Amino acid sequence: MRVRAVLLDLDGTLVDSHAAVRRSWQRWADAVGIPLESFFHRTHGRPGHEVMAEVLPERPLAENLADNRALLADEIEDTDGVRALPGAARLLASLAEMPWAIVTACTEPLARARLAAAGLATPEVLVTSEQTDAGKPDPAGYLLAARRLGVEPAWCAVVEDASAGVRAAIAAGMHVIGVGGPVEPAPTWELAGLDDLEVLPDGVLLRLVGSRVHRDGAPIST
């Protein structure tokens, strides 16, 4: 797979922050009196205030924005258990000679806190929630990362684990590598994890190892 840039999601792709995220949302759910399990599945890869608006549609936007700021501040302080996912450090090291970026629904302080807690490098191009008007599945974040790297979207590969992120990358016209389990819609390629993704020495070729490849929706064993 020949590309000119690699764009990566953060939570669930490079770092495991599930426990910390769940703790923060549990505190919010308790405060507003809604069972966490009724909506937690909606939170992955999306701005918190958008999820809050879906859960409490009659609530003023200002209250959701304020609660989201408090939730994010809580998550910056609570990095207990945040760790790099298998293959993440090796993959980022192999990207040193080619353009790459992280595109995340986190704020910049939260993204940096999680990368530091996981012991992972911070890229020069880090696209966070403050920099776009809409979060995933809107393609704005991935398109902004491509512009900053000076690479056309069609030459970018996106590595994602969440449905919202896959939809964003597809809408941006990029190749999508799904990791960690099946999502809908199906990514271009699907891998068990980052250990199945290699960057070859020429810096522009990705090799998918032991992957299931999706073309036109049909799984092909490789």
Side-chain angles (χ1 to χ4, degrees):
M1 178 185 180
R2 194 167 294 278
V3 298
R4 294 176 183 163
V6 177
L7 314 180
L8 302 113
D9 175 51
L10 180 59
D11 295 290
T13 299
L14 293 174
V15 305
D16 178 359
S17 58
H18 180 81
V21 172
R22 187 179 181 87
R23 287 192 297 269
S24 294
W25 277 107
Q26 182 67 70
R27 287 187 281 270
W28 183 80
D30 291 344
V32 297
I34 295 178
L36 178 66
E37 298 307 327
S38 68
F39 70 89
F40 188 64
H41 62 284
R42 304 186 195 181
T43 65
H44 190 43
R46 299 180 60 205
H49 67 88
E50 293 183 4
V51 177
M52 294 171 184
E54 292 177 1
V55 175
L56 298 171
E58 303 303 320
R59 200 169 191 241
L61 174 61
E63 289 187 31
N64 290 334
L65 291 173
D67 278 5
N68 188 53
R69 287 193 295 270
L71 185 144
L72 291 171
D74 189 26
E75 291 181 349
I76 291 170
E77 296 299 321
D78 182 7
T79 56
D80 185 33
V82 174
R83 61 181 180 85
L85 284 165
R90 174 198 56 79
L91 176 62
L92 296 190
S94 70
L95 292 172
E97 300 304 317
M98 70 181 298
W100 68 283
I102 289 175
V103 180
T104 175
C106 294
T107 62
E108 183 171 344
L110 179 56
R112 291 184 180 277
R114 288 190 175 154
L115 287 166
L120 296 176
T122 300
E124 291 186 12
V125 176
L126 176 62
V127 177
T128 57
S129 62
E130 308 97 323
Q131 300 169 36
T132 61
D133 292 331
K136 303 171 188 178
D138 191 283
Y142 281 121
L143 292 172
L144 177 59
R147 287 197 300 273
R148 289 184 177 174
L149 292 173
V151 178
E152 290 295 320
W155 283 99
C156 295
V158 171
V159 186
E160 266 282 359
D161 76 306
S163 177
V166 171
R167 293 200 302 271
I170 291 172
M174 300 175 178
H175 305 288
V176 194
I177 301 170
V179 293
V183 295
E184 293 295 336
T188 319
W189 292 274
E190 185 178 80
L191 306 179
L194 297 178
D195 282 329
D196 286 346
L197 179 62
E198 296 181 357
V199 180
L200 300 188
D202 63 6
V204 295
L205 194 66
L206 304 181
R207 183 165 62 185
L208 312 179
V209 182
S211 61
R212 287 188 296 155
V213 180
H214 292 259
R215 293 192 179 94
D216 299 327
I220 303 172
S221 298
T222 61

